[in-house]
Amino acid sequence: MRDILEKDKNIKNLIFDTTGIGYFEVGKKVPELADLNLALSKGRAGGVTISRLTEVDMPKAEIIYELAISGLG
């Protein structure tokens, strides 16, 4: 899933924590939720969808966004 999403040029340094929440730094613009879900479906990550895209503050970093993903099992 990480390999699929990192193909988007607006996602940098994508990481997931142990709960399945993903964090990334944004490139030139914030990717649209629909575009990320389309990329997952085209990348054969069937049944996996991003349910939330929220800006969060992280210490010692620029703006980072959190992804909430459903359908992982």
Side-chain angles (χ1 to χ4, degrees):
M1 187 171 63
R2 182 176 181 215
D3 293 338
I4 295 168
L5 292 175
E6 282 193 327
K7 290 177 183 175
D8 187 317
K9 302 295 183 206
N10 292 309
I11 293 181
K12 298 178 182 178
N13 302 321
L14 175 62
I15 59 167
F16 289 92
D17 66 15
T18 57
T19 65
I21 301 294
Y23 300 90
F24 67 91
E25 296 176 44
V26 71
K28 292 184 180 182
K29 65 176 189 160
V30 178
E32 296 291 327
L33 191 62
D35 294 335
L36 295 175
N37 282 323
L38 181 62
L40 287 175
S41 67
K42 284 184 176 179
R44 300 184 189 257
V48 177
T49 57
I50 299 170
S51 58
R52 186 178 68 230
L53 179 62
T54 308
E55 183 178 328
V56 295
D57 292 322
M58 300 291 281
K60 296 184 182 182
E62 295 183 19
I63 298 172
I64 295 180
Y65 289 82
E66 174 183 314
L67 299 172
I69 299 178
S70 61
L72 294 174

